[in-house]
Amino acid sequence: MSMLQEYRQIEDTIRDLTARLNSLSNDDKLKKELEFEKKLQDLMKQYGKESADVVALLDPQNKAATSKAAKTPAVAKRARKVKQYKNPNTGETIETKGGNHKTLKAWKEQYGAEKVESWATILG
């Protein structure tokens, strides 16, 4: 398509959209919807509420969200593997899936995280 053709096509589109916009702006139904939206926004602002709060109030079971959730399958989290740490200094052994273990934290603080991780064996 030449630049002139594209230019004329865009002009026509703008002319059509301008005519459609003018006809909509004179529509009483649109005027009522715009007035309702403004009043609703003002009311939400007055009470410090968001759109989600209003939706939750009007639709407590949130049918729209549950239907969307039912359509899209949830992505399952990857299960953490159990690690076994054996302290060569004391012979003590612990098993954990995460780093939030009290004894493991103490070892990491005492011996250093890198050294303690070298004691780990993955069980599964």
Side-chain angles (χ1 to χ4, degrees):
M1 176 185 306
S2 75
M3 298 266 305
L4 182 58
Q5 286 176 322
E6 185 180 0
Y7 177 79
R8 296 253 164 82
Q9 186 179 14
I10 292 172
E11 270 187 333
D12 290 341
T13 304
I14 290 173
R15 206 174 304 115
D16 292 344
L17 288 174
T18 303
R20 177 77 176 126
L21 183 63
N22 288 335
S23 70
L24 278 175
S25 64
N26 294 327
D27 189 358
D28 289 335
K29 189 175 178 181
L30 176 67
K31 288 179 183 177
K32 285 185 178 183
E33 283 188 34
L34 289 171
E35 180 184 0
F36 175 76
E37 180 188 33
K38 184 183 180 319
K39 286 181 179 180
L40 182 60
Q41 293 290 341
D42 292 343
L43 189 62
M44 288 182 347
K45 188 184 289 184
Q46 178 182 347
Y47 286 94
K49 298 293 180 183
E50 297 291 326
S51 304
D53 300 329
V54 175
V55 169
L57 181 67
L58 296 176
D59 188 9
Q61 296 172 345
N62 203 357
K63 295 171 190 161
T66 54
S67 66
K68 286 181 185 176
K71 291 179 186 176
T72 57
V75 177
K77 285 186 174 181
R78 182 177 51 96
R80 292 185 184 178
K81 298 186 178 187
V82 178
K83 287 184 178 180
Q84 182 181 47
Y85 295 86
K86 183 171 182 177
N87 186 332
N89 302 321
T90 63
E92 187 178 1
T93 303
I94 59 170
E95 292 181 5
T96 182
K97 286 188 174 186
N100 203 16
H101 193 278
K102 185 178 179 181
T103 307
L104 184 61
K105 281 184 176 182
W107 287 353
K108 286 183 177 182
E109 191 175 301
Q110 184 178 358
Y111 301 107
E114 206 171 287
K115 186 168 188 169
V116 172
E117 283 300 321
S118 72
W119 302 342
T121 307
I122 297 174
L123 297 178

